[in-house]
């Protein structure tokens, strides 16, 4: 059974930094693209970032480009989202997800974690 | 950037009803369109990918259609567990925009 477990969320002041982690199990982690999607309180879903299995391609939403960095450690079956210069509008539940397709990212997420809450507030 | 719209934003329906949700892209995305279901406090669940392919384990009452800019999610006979929010998402060039969502609630 595929399992994704996010951690690292919390309360951070505007301008601060936070690193989210997502540990995967139940599948061969290396070849699959992974991504982060967020949901602000009471709002819809927003793609944040994605990384292909070979780590050659990373993609970011315009809203986080230059502030967030996604990375992948196959030895730990983990992806990370390093978030810096955080703003109030980054407040959201952050979900990690696994791409459905082996190989290049198709960005269709067939497994999701339960999410981790990030609150940016002074 | 590609923009996604959905209609209606909400609808009220009864168990057994046929429900249709529309999704429109601001430019052609071929069939790079997925549908997700989300219940309160839960992660989204993939229902359909490539516009019309049912994801494994998803009941056959769910179906998707469309290509280019116009897409539809249909629930043929609404079940109690189907009351939820539904989102479309394009992936034409990389991971792309989600639609704003459609809330399906009890009439």
């Amino acid at each position: 059974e595929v399992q994704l477990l996010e951690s690292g969320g919390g309360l951070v002041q505007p301008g601060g930094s936070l690193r989210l982690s997502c540990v995967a199990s139940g599948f061969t982690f290396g070849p699959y693209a992974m991504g982060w999607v967020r949901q602000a309180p009471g709002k819809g879903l927003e793609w944040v970032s994605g990384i292909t299995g070979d780590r050659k391609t990373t993609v970011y939403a315009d809203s986080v480009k230059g502030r967030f960095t996604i990375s992948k450690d196959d030895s730990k079956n983990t992806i990370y989202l390093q978030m810096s210069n955080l703003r109030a509008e980054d407040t959201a539940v952050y979900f990690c997800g696994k791409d459905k397709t082996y190989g290049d990212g198709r960005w269709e997420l067939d497994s999701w974690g339960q999410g981790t809450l990030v609150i940016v507030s002074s | 950037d590609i923009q996604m719209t959905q209609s209606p934003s909400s609808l009220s329906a009864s168990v057994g009803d046929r429900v249709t949700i529309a999704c429109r892209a601001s430019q052609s995305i071929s069939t790079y369109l997925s549908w997700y279901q989300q219940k309160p406090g839960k992660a989204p669940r993939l229902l359909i990918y490539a516009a019309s392919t049912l994801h494994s384990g998803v009941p056959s009452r769910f179906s998707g259609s469309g290509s280019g800019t116009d897409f539809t999610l249909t629930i043929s006979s609404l079940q109690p567990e189907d009351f939820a929010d539904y989102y479309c998402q394009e992936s034409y060039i990389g991971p792309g925009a989600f639609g704003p969502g459609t809330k399906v609630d009890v009439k």
Side-chain angles (χ1 to χ4, degrees):
Chain A
E1 179 193 4
V2 173
Q3 290 193 332
L4 302 173
L5 184 63
E6 303 97 335
S7 61
L11 175 64
V12 60
Q13 292 188 339
S17 298
L18 213 55
R19 188 178 82 158
L20 306 183
S21 302
C22 171
V23 179
S25 61
F27 66 102
T28 304
F29 180 76
Y32 286 90
M34 301 286 292
W36 290 96
V37 173
R38 69 185 180 184
Q39 187 169 37
K43 302 298 184 182
L45 301 171
E46 180 188 16
W47 254 101
V48 174
S49 183
I51 186 167
T52 53
D54 61 9
R55 301 188 303 280
K56 290 182 178 179
T57 299
T58 58
V59 292
Y60 298 93
D62 287 344
S63 58
V64 307
K65 205 171 290 183
R67 300 188 299 122
F68 290 11
T69 302
I70 191 170
S71 60
K72 185 173 179 282
D73 185 339
D74 291 348
S75 69
K76 296 182 179 179
N77 282 12
T78 301
I79 63 167
Y80 302 95
L81 187 68
Q82 178 68 47
M83 305 185 294
S84 60
N85 192 18
L86 283 160
R87 306 166 180 167
E89 54 265 36
D90 295 319
T91 294
V93 174
Y94 285 72
F95 298 98
C96 75
K98 167 192 164 290
D99 198 286
K100 181 187 64 61
T101 305
Y102 183 102
D104 287 346
R106 292 294 303 273
W107 315 115
E108 301 153 338
L109 302 182
D110 68 346
S111 298
W112 297 65
Q114 85 291 344
T116 187
L117 177 61
V118 172
I119 300 174
V120 184
S121 175
S122 54
Chain B
D1 290 356
I2 299 172
Q3 310 298 322
M4 306 299 292
T5 58
Q6 284 182 235
S7 60
S9 57
S10 65
L11 66 91
S12 298
S14 301
V15 172
D17 284 353
R18 182 182 182 88
V19 169
T20 299
I21 298 169
C23 175
R24 174 168 286 179
S26 59
Q27 66 183 71
S28 177
I29 57 170
S30 183
T31 57
Y32 291 91
L33 192 283
S34 303
W35 289 97
Y36 295 86
Q37 176 194 65
Q38 188 183 31
K39 296 180 180 180
K42 300 295 187 182
R45 170 195 181 197
L46 178 65
L47 298 175
I48 287 169
Y49 60 94
S52 61
T53 304
L54 200 65
H55 182 52
S56 174
V58 175
S60 58
R61 63 181 179 273
F62 291 91
S63 64
S65 64
S67 66
T69 60
D70 293 302
F71 303 87
T72 300
L73 173 71
T74 300
I75 309 171
S76 61
S77 177
L78 195 68
Q79 297 302 300
E81 59 269 30
D82 300 337
F83 293 103
D85 296 330
Y86 293 85
Y87 296 90
C88 61
Q89 183 231 337
E90 64 88 9
S91 54
Y92 184 62
I93 302 175
F98 286 91
T102 295
K103 183 178 185 65
V104 178
D105 62 17
V106 179
K107 180 183 263 185

